[in-house]
Amino acid sequence: MAAAAAAALLVSTVGQAGAASPTLRSLAEAKGIYFGTALTQGNLSNSTLTAVAGTQFDMVTPGNEMKWDTTEPSNGTYNFGPGDQIVAFATAHGMRVRGHNLVWHSQLPSWVTSLPTSQVQGAMEAHITTEATHYKGQVYAWDVVNEPFNDDGSLRQDVFYNAMGSGYIADALRTAHAADPNAKLYLNDYNIEGTGAKSNAMYSLVQSLKAQGVPIDGVGFESHFILGQVPSTMQANMQRFAALGVNVAVTELDDRIQLPASSANLAQQATDYATVVKDCLAVSGCVGVSQWGVGDADSWIPSAFSGYGAATMYDNNYQPKPAYTATATALGSGSTAPPTTAPPTTTPPTTTPPTTAPPTTGAAGSCKVANAVNAWNNGLTENITLTNTGSSTVNGWSLGFTLAAGQTITSGWNAAYTPSTGAVTATNLSYNGTLAPGGSTAIGFQATHTGNASAPTAYTLNGVACSIG
Ligand code: 9MR
């Protein structure tokens, strides 16, 4: 493939990480994963920060705005305004959202901890139902229960455990599933990245939830690391969770350094970041990596760990650090193979071919599609980057493709998808209908499948065949 054509497939930015470098999100998507960040409401008024967030990342976790103390500050009174702002930013920038979180002992309003024991379950279920219903269709995943374990592997004796015993976790997951059946439901914790007592406890919990048929889709590994201390067992540990039939994700990555950070420290941090990214890429079922914050200036580390900081890929002025470059390289930047041919990260359980849609072999129109499928047991996500390779601007577009037999779209982003099976048309939304020559837009969808997780073999833009690659 010509270098110019390869470059056109990737969303590029000039100035943030050198001239016209591919972004983390385009590199990640080409590998079939996402690359996310955490954003708070306050971050949205920092235009330097949001310029980086909106171009480099394709997943957002609200830093605080979906937590109980914000969303239900008094019993039965809900406030979704701050969370809605984060979702609006994500939507406007083609990013998905990890909902964080529904049940957690911290950032919990005092009215919950003051409830009579007999009322805690009802309050928890009402909170989950109301919040998950409000964000139904807008979040890709929920951290349903956050940080349930003590470091020794015992369950935290918080208000939920004290009222309901360990069963509160299954109850929370079932309640969230009833409210938003399409959201991926996670348990999220720290100090479970490598093997050890706490990780073993999480593993046993997930195993037992799966055995009981409780809806659990994933485990989040927060990954708040100290420089040079990424566990050597991280890849194997994530893989054993994936083998239980759940997705895994790195949900809150940072790597703190004792200040001032030396250049040797920053080089070690680059190695640490690359290790984490490579670990995720090596694990079938690892769906993505999220950093906790955008840059060192908005990181939580300095306020929580005195004397430490410099924990992210961007410095205090939002300039990329060595960890950024190492992350991009780990995601395939600069490799000779075009980073747009990512196969699904899990092999579909059967090899039934699609019954329709002949492959495009001959003449293609003035469009190009790069697609990446990430599949698991009975679900998949497909990320599509659509590029206008013609010389005129496209004003309004419909992308046609045929889903493999057994696939049904359950939610999508950055386009309207209809119908949900068979020959689908994805139509632009108000903010992405214009595609300048050479311009790209990133869309995608989540679908269920019955064994064939193959991507469509042909795409048409306004009726004209696109090339794929
Ligand atoms: O980033 C969040 C920070 O703004 C809050 O002050 C803090 C309060 O606990 O929570 C931070 O986010 C946490 C996340 O929700 C769960 N894992 C640990 C994160 C860092 O504390």
Side-chain angles (χ1 to χ4, degrees), residues 38 40 61-64 67 69 100-101 104 106-107 143 146-147 188-190 222 224 251-252 254 292-293 298-301 303-305:
T40 63
T61 306
N64 292 308
K67 293 172 181 173
D69 58 354
H100 175 81
N101 52 58
W104 189 25
S106 182
Q107 291 180 278
D143 289 329
N146 198 42
E147 303 177 355
N188 187 53
D189 216 326
Y190 60 91
E222 291 189 12
H224 293 293
T251 51
E252 304 183 11
D254 48 33
W292 202 244
D298 59 279
S299 166
W300 71 295
I301 292 292
S303 62
F305 299 94

Side-chain angles (χ1 to χ4, degrees), residues 25 29 34-39 44 49-61 86-98 138-140 294 383 412-414 431 442-443:
R25 64 188 278 174
E29 286 167 15
Y34 61 78
F35 215 103
T37 186
L39 286 178
L44 298 181
L49 183 159
T50 54
V52 175
T55 52
Q56 292 288 337
F57 300 96
D58 59 2
M59 184 71 77
V60 178
T61 306
I86 306 286
V87 172
F89 179 88
T91 305
H93 292 85
M95 308 161 95
R96 289 185 287 162
V97 176
R98 293 195 81 259
Q138 299 186 77
V139 296
Y140 157 72
V294 176
N383 283 291
W413 52 94
N414 298 336
Y431 54 85
I443 67 171

